[in-house]
Amino acid sequence: MINGQAGDPERTVALTFDDGPGPSTPEVLDVLQQNGVPATFFVVGEKAAAEPAMLQRIVAAGHVIGDHTWSHHIPSAKAGWNARTLTREIQHTRRAIVNATGREPCLFRPPGGIVKGAEKVSRAAGLSVILWSVDTRDWAAPANKKFAPVIQKRAAAGLEQEHPVILFHDGGGTRTATVAALSG
C-alpha cells in the first residue's frame, strides 16, 4: 500500500491513525519508518496517559499527534457534543500529550466524525478539526491478515482524490489486517 503512492510532488496523501496507542502501534510505526512515510496519530487520552513512551516514539519518528478525546465517547449525531464535556475531554488529552512529549497538539479529530458542537470547542482550544475523506473501515476487520486486501482496496480508492485523508486505526483492538495492508 505505502509503496504505491509516488506521483505528482504537488499532490498529498495523508495517512491518519485513530484510537491508539494500541497493541499494533509499534508495528504501524515500524512499517511507516521502513517506507519513510509520515503520518498523524489521533490518540485517545486515557491510552496516551498510560503509554507515554509510545507517544514519545511517535514524535521521535517524525509523526504528528492529534487529540481524539480522553475517553473516545461518541455522542449521538443528532445531539452532538456537550461543550463542557468536550472541553474537559480535550483538556485532559492535551495534558497527557504535553506531559509525554512536551508538544502541544494542534489537531482534533472527533470520535465517530461527530462534528456538531465540536467546532467551537476545538477552536477555543486552539485545535483544527480534521476529518477524513477515505474510511478504510479497518476498525471493522477481524484481526486476520486475510482482510488486508480489502483495506488496501478501500485506501487505494481514495488515491483518485487530489488530497485524500485516509483513516486507519492503530488502536481499538489488534490491527493485524491494518498492519498487513500497510506492509503489502
Side-chain angles (χ1 to χ4, degrees), residues 36-108:
V37 175
T40 301
F41 289 80
F42 289 95
V43 299
V44 174
E46 289 177 319
K47 296 176 182 180
E51 295 195 54
M54 189 54 61
L55 268 64
Q56 293 163 8
R57 180 176 172 197
I58 291 168
V59 169
H63 305 293
V64 173
I65 294 179
D67 189 316
H68 198 44
T69 71
W70 180 259
S71 67
H72 198 271
H73 165 76
I74 302 174
S76 76
K78 184 177 180 180
W81 292 95
N82 171 283
R84 265 187 285 204
T85 300
L86 184 56
T87 298
R88 195 170 41 250
E89 292 261 337
I90 287 173
Q91 288 173 344
H92 289 337
T93 303
R94 170 178 283 188
R95 197 171 309 120
I97 293 168
V98 170
N99 287 345
T101 68
R103 296 186 183 181
E104 291 276 344
C106 63
L107 306 174
F108 174 69

Side-chain angles (χ1 to χ4, degrees), residues 93-172:
T93 303
R94 170 178 283 188
R95 197 171 309 120
I97 293 168
V98 170
N99 287 345
T101 68
R103 296 186 183 181
E104 291 276 344
C106 63
L107 306 174
F108 174 69
R109 176 170 284 163
I114 305 297
V115 176
K116 184 177 182 179
E119 291 174 310
K120 185 176 180 181
V121 173
S122 61
R123 192 171 29 256
L127 302 171
S128 297
V129 174
I130 305 295
L131 295 176
W132 56 88
S133 62
V134 178
D135 184 355
T136 63
R137 295 185 50 84
D138 65 332
W139 52 268
N144 184 321
K145 291 181 182 183
K146 291 190 316 187
F147 290 88
V150 174
I151 295 168
Q152 287 176 331
K153 184 177 180 182
R154 289 177 181 151
L159 298 178
E160 299 295 321
Q161 301 170 10
E162 187 173 357
H163 302 288
V165 177
I166 303 175
L167 171 62
F168 293 101
H169 293 78
D170 64 315

